[in-house]
Amino acid sequence: MREVFHQSLDDVQGRLVEIAELVTIAITKATTAFATSDVALAEEVIEDDRLIDARAVVLDELAIEILARQQPVARDLRMVVSALRMSASLERMGDMAEHIAQLARYRFPERAIPKGLKSTFTSMGELDVQIATKLADLLRTQDLTIADEIRNLDDDIDELHARVFEKVLSDTWKGEAGATVDATLASRYHERFADHAVSVAKKAVYLATGDWTAEGETSENAV
Amino acid sequence: MREVFHQSLDDVQGRLVEIAELVTIAITKATTAFATSDVALAEEVIEDDRLIDARAVVLDELAIEILARQQPVARDLRMVVSALRMSASLERMGDMAEHIAQLARYRFPERAIPKGLKSTFTSMGELDVQIATKLADLLRTQDLTIADEIRNLDDDIDELHARVFEKVLSDTWKGEAGATVDATLASRYHERFADHAVSVAKKAVYLATGDWTAEGETSENAV
């Protein structure tokens, strides 16, 4: 029974990795579409988010089946419950990538990246791609040092997020309302993407260590 | 054992109602603080969100204990898993109320509600308060007609959300960047609050009917 359980858990882990890889592709395409106003690429991201949602549903059903058939307790039970939560966070990361792609599509043929913030959003996009890549690695390898790397990258994102608002609220900001809206939403989506990744990384650490004491979401500010 | 299970489930339901009531208080205070620039009230909402988070953690632990001790299967199992998900959505509703309060605090002593959008945000706030009130009623009474009312109120919120962007992107918009940022974020938080409520309401319907076929989150747009 233990062996069956661990086979099932390996299946869950494999599916979490798979979804994290799809999310990595989504955020890579989304930030490229946002930076280059590639509406076709944006449409791809928006279309492919359905796949991510569908994979998350399949994973959730698998986790529920494991609960029903194998009735895990204690640490095993928490592992399955954590998998359900990681699935939800990964699905939201896919949504954030989709939202960034939607911004590129709305603004087309104009550039979605507001003037004066190109380098900031390029860096945010690169950081989110790195975070997603590392998250898939963490889930695959269970090398827990990667969780700290993800936390550090999230700190960098938070700094850039604050910089976007400093810029937009400064006297030097010449952007029109549309540019201000885009900057506000795009920055928010990039920052939330990273927050969800940190939340998944934390749960991956519990899965590996069984230490639930540190459980909790990342602190999040309104702006 | 069934009786013990149903006692536990009643406890879960009672705690969901309690959290929904705390969320109703939070959004009521938050929208008032936002409308009147009442920074003390905003601080209250921000402080009280810790209580909502703590109650959600207690509820999650209870649900996990039910899974461990009573090993529910089939519909009973889905009910407990749904409770975990409803808890997460209610916790996020509390976060959205906190974010609206944070906007009021950041802007203080100025008004957080941008000129020209006062009536729109007043209506959004009233709708979110109605939605939260009805959600607590739905969880308490399991009167499923309330779920449809919540869905309709969410449609009204979506219309107002779209109106905010029409206004901000129109030639008549005279707001400065700060006002545009506030309008963008506040509208987003109000809309997400309602989306989470619809998601909880759907799960409440499954809890009552056991019909999981319609499961799925509400569609959400980037702007």
Side-chain angles (χ1 to χ4, degrees):
Chain A
M1 191 62 178
R2 291 286 305 167
E3 197 181 319
V4 175
F5 176 75
H6 283 294
Q7 282 167 5
S8 310
L9 214 60
D10 289 346
D11 188 6
V12 166
Q13 185 202 359
R15 288 172 186 275
L16 285 170
V17 171
E18 183 188 42
I19 297 171
E21 287 169 344
L22 291 173
V23 167
T24 305
I25 293 167
I27 192 66
T28 304
K29 288 181 177 177
T31 52
T32 302
F34 185 69
T36 63
S37 305
D38 184 336
V39 74
L41 194 60
E43 296 284 1
E44 257 184 62
V45 175
I46 293 160
E47 185 59 34
D48 292 351
D49 189 56
R50 294 186 192 175
L51 297 176
I52 292 173
D53 295 348
R55 299 291 175 100
V57 169
V58 170
L59 173 51
D60 292 350
E61 287 303 310
L62 174 64
I64 290 169
E65 193 185 313
I66 292 171
L67 292 173
R69 295 205 176 169
Q70 300 177 28
Q71 314 247 313
V73 295
R75 181 178 162 179
D76 292 346
L77 171 58
R78 285 185 183 272
M79 288 183 170
V80 179
V81 171
S82 289
L84 279 169
R85 291 172 169 162
M86 292 160 91
S87 157
S89 294
L90 286 166
E91 189 271 326
R92 284 303 292 163
M93 291 173 75
D95 290 342
M96 294 303 109
E98 181 186 19
H99 290 350
I100 291 166
Q102 284 168 326
L103 286 179
R105 186 179 62 176
Y106 287 132
R107 199 57 56 199
F108 185 78
E110 288 171 52
R111 286 260 161 143
I113 290 192
K115 288 192 189 63
L117 286 169
K118 196 171 192 320
S119 67
T120 306
F121 276 113
T122 302
S123 303
M124 276 186 131
E126 287 167 356
L127 286 168
D128 271 350
V129 169
Q130 280 184 57
I131 283 173
T133 306
K134 285 184 183 293
L135 187 59
D137 292 345
L138 169 60
L139 294 169
R140 189 187 306 101
T141 65
Q142 309 203 356
D143 169 1
L144 303 188
T145 61
I146 299 172
D148 296 326
E149 295 171 25
I150 290 170
R151 229 186 310 270
N152 294 336
L153 288 166
D154 176 56
D155 292 341
D156 297 341
I157 287 267
D158 290 343
E159 273 179 37
L160 292 173
H161 183 55
R163 198 181 302 169
V164 167
F165 288 104
E166 281 165 24
K167 173 78 178 182
V168 165
L169 300 177
S170 71
D171 301 339
T172 63
W173 178 249
K174 299 277 172 282
E176 296 185 346
T180 306
V181 168
D182 289 349
T184 301
L185 290 174
S187 191
R188 170 86 183 158
Y189 298 145
H190 281 90
E191 182 248 355
R192 288 299 297 151
F193 183 93
D195 284 346
H196 285 296
V198 169
S199 160
V200 174
K202 280 186 178 178
K203 290 175 176 59
V205 172
Y206 322 139
L207 285 180
T209 62
D211 171 19
W212 315 96
T213 54
E215 183 146 18
E217 298 304 306
T218 56
S219 68
E220 177 209 358
N221 285 326
V223 291
Chain B
M1 191 62 178
R2 292 286 306 168
E3 198 181 319
V4 175
F5 175 76
H6 283 292
Q7 282 167 5
S8 310
L9 213 60
D10 289 346
D11 187 7
V12 166
Q13 185 202 357
R15 288 171 186 277
L16 285 170
V17 171
E18 182 188 44
I19 297 171
E21 287 168 344
L22 290 173
V23 167
T24 305
I25 294 167
I27 192 66
T28 304
K29 288 181 177 177
T31 52
T32 303
F34 186 69
T36 62
S37 303
D38 184 337
V39 75
L41 194 60
E43 295 284 1
E44 254 183 65
V45 175
I46 293 160
E47 184 60 34
D48 292 351
D49 189 56
R50 293 186 192 176
L51 297 176
I52 293 174
D53 295 349
R55 299 291 175 99
V57 169
V58 170
L59 172 52
D60 292 350
E61 287 303 311
L62 174 64
I64 290 170
E65 192 184 312
I66 293 170
L67 291 174
R69 294 205 176 166
Q70 300 177 29
Q71 314 248 314
V73 296
R75 180 177 164 180
D76 292 347
L77 171 58
R78 286 185 183 271
M79 287 184 170
V80 180
V81 171
S82 289
L84 279 168
R85 290 173 168 160
M86 292 160 90
S87 156
S89 294
L90 287 166
E91 190 271 326
R92 284 303 292 164
M93 290 172 76
D95 290 343
M96 294 302 110
E98 181 187 18
H99 289 351
I100 291 166
Q102 284 169 324
L103 286 178
R105 187 178 62 175
Y106 286 133
R107 200 55 56 199
F108 185 79
E110 288 169 51
R111 286 263 162 139
I113 292 192
K115 290 192 187 65
L117 287 170
K118 195 170 192 320
S119 66
T120 307
F121 276 113
T122 302
S123 303
M124 275 186 131
E126 286 166 356
L127 286 168
D128 271 350
V129 169
Q130 280 184 57
I131 283 172
T133 306
K134 286 184 182 293
L135 186 58
D137 292 344
L138 169 60
L139 293 169
R140 188 187 306 103
T141 64
Q142 308 204 356
D143 169 0
L144 303 188
T145 62
I146 299 173
D148 297 325
E149 295 171 24
I150 290 171
R151 228 186 312 269
N152 294 336
L153 289 166
D154 176 56
D155 292 341
D156 297 341
I157 287 268
D158 289 343
E159 273 179 35
L160 292 173
H161 183 55
R163 198 182 301 168
V164 167
F165 288 106
E166 281 165 23
K167 172 78 178 183
V168 165
L169 299 176
S170 70
D171 301 340
T172 63
W173 179 247
K174 298 277 173 278
E176 295 187 345
T180 307
V181 169
D182 290 349
T184 302
L185 290 174
S187 191
R188 170 87 182 156
Y189 299 143
H190 281 91
E191 182 249 355
R192 290 298 298 150
F193 183 94
D195 284 346
H196 285 295
V198 170
S199 160
V200 174
K202 281 186 178 179
K203 290 175 177 57
V205 172
Y206 320 139
L207 284 180
T209 63
D211 171 19
W212 314 98
T213 55
E215 184 148 19
E217 297 306 307
T218 56
S219 68
E220 177 209 358
N221 284 325
V223 290

